[in-house]
Amino acid sequence: MPLLTWFWGVRKYDFMTPRTIPVRELRPDFASPVNREIVEAVTPYSLHPQEGKTPEIPEIPLGDLNASPQLDEYREQASLGAPSLLQLADRLQYEGRIQRAVLAYERVIDSTPSGGSAQEEATEALANLKESLPPWNGDLSASEPLQINLATARPPESLQHGITTLSSLVSVASGNLASARFEITQLPPPPASLPSLPVAMWLTVPGEEAAKPSLSVITIIPAEDEDLASELTHGLYRLIGRRLETIAQLTLPPPLLKGDEPENAIVNKLTRLAWQQILETPFQSLEAGPPTEKPSEDSPLPDEASEGEGAAEAEIETTPETLVENP
């Protein structure tokens, strides 16, 4: 039977000689269109990947350039993100509106999430632009007092350099919205010798009582006497950050890292809007049940980390002789 099949069916075909395929039967590939679609569907990376579109940055209007800007200018638009604010600042600089450009950079710092290259770019731009601008408040008599309270057993003259530094920084950083005043409380010497005498430091804005223990206080212990001015500057930056954390309306300033200069941080990482809100928001009014009675003579000095019995048991003096204003 197989022999008959061969004889009648395929004996006339030549299987040994290669067959010439006509050109019309040639195909560039052997995968059908249907198979190619299946391959593209199951392949992790497309055979012909499409180029991704760069997301567009929302544009923030320049605003009414004929009107005087406010300290909170562009804050409502800050939700569009730091790239939009940086783009806005560039356009304002191109138009010669430096004051508004500075406000746009400040919104990057105080109204968008902290960290990242946008914050660094805004801080660097502010350092270059602020020097060319007059203070926001041209009337020094209209500035609000920011009282910096210092309590220590150190001699008053040892604080003078730090007081002068802080006074200048407060005026420059706030655009003369705030003027520094200093109340120094002289404490008795500690009963035992200490490597370095500590300094308790806290702030008071209008509407607060400096003697209330509800105020946030930090203790500064410089390693060397010549480091006191820098430590006081760092302390001011920390206290301002605590104020903003309590207000909870603006982005908190980043903590200082090793090698950061506290003077530069106070001037360029604390916006003028932040200073304004601090001056207008008494710290004690935000706390539940702050003390209302006047502390007794035996009340201890408020401190979060007392150093020595002398600092813990001293009374707070508020006599006119202890007040130093704008040295």
Side-chain angles (χ1 to χ4, degrees):
M1 190 67 180
L3 184 61
L4 290 176
T5 302
W6 171 81
F7 183 80
W8 295 109
V10 297
R11 67 182 177 84
K12 61 182 178 179
Y13 293 105
D14 182 5
F15 293 102
M16 303 302 293
T17 303
R19 175 175 173 265
T20 302
I21 302 176
V23 174
R24 66 176 180 274
E25 295 184 17
L26 293 175
R27 293 187 51 174
D29 59 67
F30 297 95
S32 68
V34 175
N35 290 340
R36 178 172 293 277
E37 291 177 3
I38 294 175
V39 170
E40 290 183 353
V42 300
T43 301
Y45 303 100
S46 174
L47 298 177
H48 304 288
Q50 296 181 354
E51 295 184 2
K53 295 182 179 180
T54 302
E56 296 183 1
I57 299 176
E59 185 173 300
I60 299 177
L62 298 180
D64 186 358
L65 300 182
N66 295 321
S68 298
Q70 303 298 314
L71 271 181
D72 62 351
E73 198 79 19
Y74 307 120
R75 192 171 178 215
E76 292 183 358
Q77 294 84 8
S79 59
L80 295 177
S84 295
L85 288 168
L86 292 175
Q87 186 183 77
L88 171 65
D90 288 340
R91 291 162 52 212
L92 289 167
Q93 282 187 259
Y94 180 79
E95 296 289 337
R97 305 288 179 165
I98 304 302
Q99 183 68 271
R100 285 182 171 269
V102 168
L103 289 167
Y105 283 125
E106 287 185 324
R107 295 296 81 80
V108 175
I109 292 175
D110 64 24
S111 300
T112 64
S114 62
S117 59
Q119 296 273 332
E120 296 178 0
E121 182 177 345
T123 300
E124 183 178 350
L126 286 175
N128 296 327
L129 293 179
K130 271 188 173 182
E131 295 182 357
S132 62
L133 292 177
W136 183 266
N137 174 30
D139 184 7
L140 288 175
S141 62
S143 61
E144 294 286 345
L146 177 72
Q147 185 166 299
I148 302 176
N149 304 278
L150 304 172
T152 183
R154 289 172 172 269
E157 56 270 18
S158 67
L159 303 173
Q160 191 59 46
H161 178 52
I163 287 175
T164 303
T165 300
L166 294 185
S167 180
S168 176
L169 283 174
V170 169
S171 296
V172 172
S174 69
N176 283 346
L177 292 171
S179 59
R181 300 175 62 191
F182 297 85
E183 186 164 344
I184 304 173
T185 302
Q186 192 66 44
L187 304 179
S193 177
L194 299 175
S196 179
L197 293 175
V199 179
M201 183 179 185
W202 67 102
L203 303 179
T204 308
V205 301
E208 296 177 347
E209 296 180 24
K212 280 192 174 182
S214 58
L215 291 171
S216 179
V217 181
I218 64 174
T219 299
I220 296 168
I221 309 177
E224 302 290 344
D225 288 347
E226 54 266 24
D227 297 333
L228 180 57
S230 178
E231 292 292 338
L232 289 174
T233 305
H234 194 173
L236 176 62
Y237 184 80
R238 290 168 57 196
L239 288 171
I240 292 294
R242 292 189 182 188
R243 292 266 173 171
L244 292 175
E245 185 176 3
T246 303
I247 297 173
Q249 294 181 9
L250 298 178
T251 302
L252 299 180
L256 294 182
L257 303 177
K258 185 177 181 180
D260 290 345
E261 297 183 359
E263 294 87 352
N264 177 67
I266 289 178
V267 173
N268 297 315
K269 294 184 180 181
L270 299 175
T271 66
R272 294 166 296 178
L273 180 60
W275 286 97
Q276 183 187 62
Q277 291 196 359
I278 287 171
L279 293 168
E280 295 178 351
T281 311
F283 186 90
Q284 292 161 332
S285 67
L286 300 176
E287 297 188 351
T292 56
E293 69 278 3
K294 183 178 180 180
S296 65
E297 294 183 354
D298 296 328
S299 297
L301 174 68
D303 196 350
E304 62 180 17
S306 299
E307 300 290 339
E309 297 178 0
E313 297 176 357
E315 300 173 4
I316 295 181
E317 301 175 4
T318 56
T319 58
E321 290 76 8
T322 63
L323 187 63
V324 181
E325 182 174 357
N326 293 331

